[in-house]
Amino acid sequence: MPEGDTVYRAATRLNRALAGRELTRFELRVPKYAALDLTGLTVDEVVPRGKHLLTRIGPHTLHTHLGMDGSWQLVTAGGKWPRPAYQARAVLGTTVGSAVGFELAVVEMLASEDEADAVGHLGPDLLGDDWDAQLAVANLRRDPDAELAGALLEQRNLAGLGNVYVTELLFLRGLHPHTPVSGAGDLDRLVELGHKLIVANRDRVERTTTGDLRPGRRTYVYGRYGKPCLRCGTRIQRGVQGRERVAAWCPSCQPAPPA
């Protein structure tokens, strides 16, 4: 599942390509919306909301989610699509090119006034203009017995963090993924650091939590199972973290919580 910064960058690219342009082609290749045609309307904007994308077109909003395998690709007029046509789920064309959504997990049309039906359940967006750290912390505290990694991944608490950021954030704070929320210490500092990490990376193609962009050194523990911890040399471990997500940690820097 993409992190919030990936979706933020996708929204930025799409907004730059589509906003203010009239649609010359509009196709949603899902049965429910196969007959819908918005050609002739102008795209107002494309905005991210956590891991969701909202494309506003007059009184309509196209709600999409990348899921595990989805992507939005920009194609110049007459250009070749980078992925097979059978994978396309949405095509938004203008006189200068097209935005094509491939293998999107969610494709949904809404009245713009009903956007809350799709994203209203989400917690504060770490990359949103209305980011509210206090509300995010309050949401986390509602379930003090929840394992910390799962609580940070729960988009209803705060929107935008995925496995990469949660894994790295817990390492930086010296917290084991199975630590209960009640044992996390200063939640305000934890949430503040998560916000700083994702904001620092929102405009980067190559994400880093270490400050080092060299391959193999961009993260402390994520993707480094079995390798030595960059801080202490202990081998990184991993395990299942709810809903079959894989968590990674350094057993020395992030000691397990008391049984």
Side-chain angles (χ1 to χ4, degrees), residues 210-225:
T210 64
D212 192 335
L213 288 172
R214 289 176 294 175
R217 300 187 68 85
R218 293 172 186 153
T219 58
Y220 287 103
V221 288
Y222 182 83
R224 303 192 69 251
Y225 167 67

Side-chain angles (χ1 to χ4, degrees), residues 57-235:
I57 307 166
H60 311 280
T61 294
L62 171 61
H63 166 226
T64 59
H65 193 291
L66 301 180
M68 291 296 294
D69 303 310
S71 70
W72 277 97
Q73 302 289 334
L74 297 176
V75 184
T76 56
K80 183 179 179 180
W81 287 6
R83 296 175 66 171
Y86 71 82
Q87 294 181 355
R89 298 292 178 268
V91 184
L92 279 63
T94 70
T95 55
V96 297
S98 298
V100 186
F102 294 98
E103 295 195 297
L104 301 172
V106 174
V107 177
E108 178 184 27
M109 286 302 306
L110 304 164
S112 293
E113 61 189 20
D114 295 330
E115 286 181 7
D117 292 346
V119 296
H121 65 287
L122 298 174
D125 185 346
L126 287 118
L127 292 176
D129 293 335
D130 57 349
W131 162 244
D132 187 336
Q134 290 184 336
L135 178 56
V137 170
N139 289 343
L140 290 169
R141 285 182 174 145
R142 287 184 305 189
D143 188 356
D145 296 327
E147 291 186 346
L148 193 54
L152 291 168
L153 287 167
E154 175 53 68
Q155 300 300 294
R156 289 175 173 81
N157 290 332
L158 63 171
L161 297 182
N163 279 343
V164 179
Y165 281 113
V166 170
T167 301
E168 293 294 287
L169 176 59
L170 293 181
F171 173 82
L172 289 167
R173 294 293 294 149
L175 295 166
H176 191 280
H178 295 169
T179 301
V181 170
S182 60
D186 192 337
L187 283 174
D188 292 283
R189 289 188 63 190
L190 179 70
V191 167
E192 179 185 9
L193 181 56
H195 183 234
K196 286 182 177 179
L197 284 175
I198 198 168
V199 168
N201 282 287
R202 67 183 176 187
D203 297 318
R204 287 183 179 141
V205 175
E206 298 293 349
R207 180 187 299 122
T208 178
T209 56
T210 64
D212 192 335
L213 288 172
R214 289 176 294 175
R217 300 187 68 85
R218 293 172 186 153
T219 58
Y220 287 103
V221 288
Y222 182 83
R224 303 192 69 251
Y225 167 67
K227 297 180 180 179
C229 173
L230 295 178
R231 181 176 288 170
C232 73
T234 304
R235 294 204 174 275

Side-chain angles (χ1 to χ4, degrees), residues 37-49:
D37 186 4
L38 299 186
T39 55
L41 296 184
T42 298
V43 177
D44 297 306
E45 60 181 345
V46 183
V47 298
R49 181 74 174 88

